[in-house]
């Protein structure tokens, strides 16, 4: 078959109609995906810049979870220290009560209560663990939290032994038969309370730093995701308006094509 030659007017209208159809398909894709850049073919620069921002946001999201877990570990240690402080205060109350009682039998009973609480203190310190990390047991762990993707920004929280041995709290000597034994215990308890308060303050400060870094990381992730979205996300309101315009143009396309063909047919009437 020989080639079919179209007139210039017909070809122009036909190409315009095809172009409108292509634009409608592109606009429908943008509306369905919500993206104006779906691949590197659409806009290579925006596509890869957006991917770079999204990749960093995902890396930071992993670090954010790690920071959040670190906060929980430190908070567990702080709660443990507060409970240990309460036990030490009870032990001090028992010691003061024993000192005011000259009866050796009563003092002996107080010494037994003292030793029982000392054992509970050790149990509490050993139980203050979060996901295997214990910052206050007899052999405490250290907690290292990473803030940056390349590992250049970190915070290491050193554990502090807060059990009876770590606090230098010995068992009741001589069943507290003498005032000297009781006074020695009271002095040790006062020192232990001072140490616990200092440890709690340090742990609280570390928890505050972690909380600040967590908030910063959350905001940074949001900024990265918003930046990525600006590069590739479509304006759905604008695309909806474009679709209505293109559909109207598509409806008018056949009319223009028909007019062009009618002009060609009018020439035949001359013969």
């Amino acid at each position: 078959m020989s080639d079919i030659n179209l007139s210039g007017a017909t070809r122009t209208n036909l190409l315009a109609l095809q172009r409108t159809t292509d634009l409608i398909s592109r606009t429908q894709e943008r509306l369905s995906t919500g993206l104006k850049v779906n691949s590197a073919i659409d806009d290579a620069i925006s596509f890869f810049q957006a991917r770079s921002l999204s990749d960093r946001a995902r890396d930071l999201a992993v670090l954010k979870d790690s920071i959040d877990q670190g906060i929980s570990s430190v908070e567990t240690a702080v709660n443990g220290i507060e409970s240990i402080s309460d036990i030490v205060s009870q032990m001090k109350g028992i010691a003061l009560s024993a000192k005011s009682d000259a009866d050796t039998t009563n003092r002996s009973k107080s010494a037994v209560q003292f030793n029982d609480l000392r054992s509970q203190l050790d149990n509490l310190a050993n139980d203050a663990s979060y996901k295997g990390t214990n910052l206050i047991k007899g052999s405490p762990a250290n907690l290292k939290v990473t803030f940056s993707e390349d590992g250049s920004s970190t915070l290491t929280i050193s554990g502090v032994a807060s059990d009876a041995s770590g606090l230098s709290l010995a068992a009741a000597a001589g069943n507290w038969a003498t005032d000297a034994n009781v006074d020695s215990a009271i002095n040790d308890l006062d020192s232990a309370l001072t140490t616990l308060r200092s440890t709690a303050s340090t742990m609280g400060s570390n928890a505050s730093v972690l909380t600040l870094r967590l908030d910063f990381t959350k905001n940074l992730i949001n900024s990265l995701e918003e930046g990525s979205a600006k590069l590739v996300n479509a304006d759905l309101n604008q695309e909806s308006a474009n679709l209505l315009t293109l559909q109207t143009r598509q409806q008018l396309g056949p009319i223009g094509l028909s007019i062009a063909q009618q002009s060609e047919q009018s020439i035949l009437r001359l013969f």
Side-chain angles (χ1 to χ4, degrees), residues 89-205:
S89 295
Q90 291 181 39
M91 294 169 69
K92 183 178 178 180
I94 291 174
L96 292 173
S97 176
K99 185 178 179 180
S100 64
D101 191 343
D103 190 315
T104 56
T105 300
N106 292 336
R107 284 195 175 189
S108 178
K109 291 179 181 179
S110 295
V112 171
Q113 293 178 353
F114 180 91
N115 290 335
D116 287 342
L117 286 175
R118 181 177 179 275
S119 297
Q120 290 301 318
L121 188 154
D122 285 339
N123 292 336
L124 197 154
N126 289 329
D127 292 340
S129 176
Y130 181 83
K131 294 184 69 174
T133 300
N134 191 321
L135 298 173
I136 62 172
K137 65 179 181 178
S139 299
N142 295 327
L143 177 65
K144 182 178 180 180
V145 182
T146 302
F147 300 134
S148 58
E149 308 96 301
D150 59 1
S152 61
S153 178
T154 62
L155 174 66
T156 299
I157 300 172
S158 300
V160 180
S162 300
D163 61 346
S165 177
L167 295 172
S168 298
L169 294 177
N175 283 330
W176 285 351
T178 66
D179 287 346
N181 291 335
V182 179
D183 288 336
S184 177
I186 292 173
N187 289 334
D188 290 343
L189 290 166
D190 287 335
S191 297
L193 286 172
T194 299
T195 300
L196 288 169
R197 289 164 186 158
S198 176
T199 302
S201 177
T202 301
M203 292 291 182
S205 177

Side-chain angles (χ1 to χ4, degrees), residues 7 258-271:
S7 67
S258 175
I259 293 173
Q261 291 176 339
Q262 288 176 3
S263 299
E264 295 173 4
Q265 291 175 358
S266 64
I267 298 177
L268 296 177
R269 296 192 185 97
L270 300 176
F271 299 96

